[in-house]
Amino acid sequence: MNTQSDLRTISTLLGDSLSKFAKLFQNEVDLAKAELGEKVQHVGWAVGFFAAGAILIIPALVMALFALSAALIAGGWSQPISYLVSAVVAAILAGVLFAVGMNRLDARNLAPRETMRQLEKDKDTVKEMVR
């Protein structure tokens, strides 16, 4: 009779452990969803910076390049060389803007670190429960 009671106790403990593990897993899924939502928002901001930079820089850059070309021409440079220098300046500025945007989209910044850390803890907890 005692063996049957022990089996019920063990099965109850095992059932409780599995239930708690399932709840823990659900909590981790919820955490992952929240963290990924935060990362998506981060990407959204980066895209917004790209768009705002592109929209705001174009007219200013065109006028600045015209002014640079006009200054070079007034300084005695030929028109083609003046426009080429202006184009090189524009390319350098564009490269800087894209580099800043790409830096904000770095995969290391987008990884759900908190969720992964918590899953490691949960894995260790489950290992301890099984022992």
Side-chain angles (χ1 to χ4, degrees), residues 9-23:
T9 303
I10 291 172
S11 66
T12 301
L13 288 174
L14 185 59
D16 287 347
S17 295
L18 290 176
S19 174
K20 289 181 183 193
F21 176 71
K23 178 64 177 159

Side-chain angles (χ1 to χ4, degrees), residues 34-49 105 110:
E35 193 169 359
L36 287 174
E38 185 179 307
K39 299 300 178 179
V40 166
Q41 184 180 14
H42 184 76
V43 169
W45 278 105
V47 170
F49 280 116
L105 290 177
L110 300 176

Side-chain angles (χ1 to χ4, degrees), residues 1 6 9 14-15 20 24-25 33 35 42 50 57 68 83 85-86 88-89 91 96 102-105 108 128:
M1 189 85 168
D6 288 344
T9 303
L14 185 59
K20 289 181 183 193
L24 181 63
F25 184 74
K33 285 180 186 177
E35 193 169 359
H42 184 76
F50 273 131
I57 197 69
L68 175 62
Y83 293 136
V85 168
S86 295
V88 169
V89 169
V96 169
M102 291 305 292
N103 186 37
R104 290 186 175 270
L105 290 177
R108 290 175 295 214
E128 288 298 317

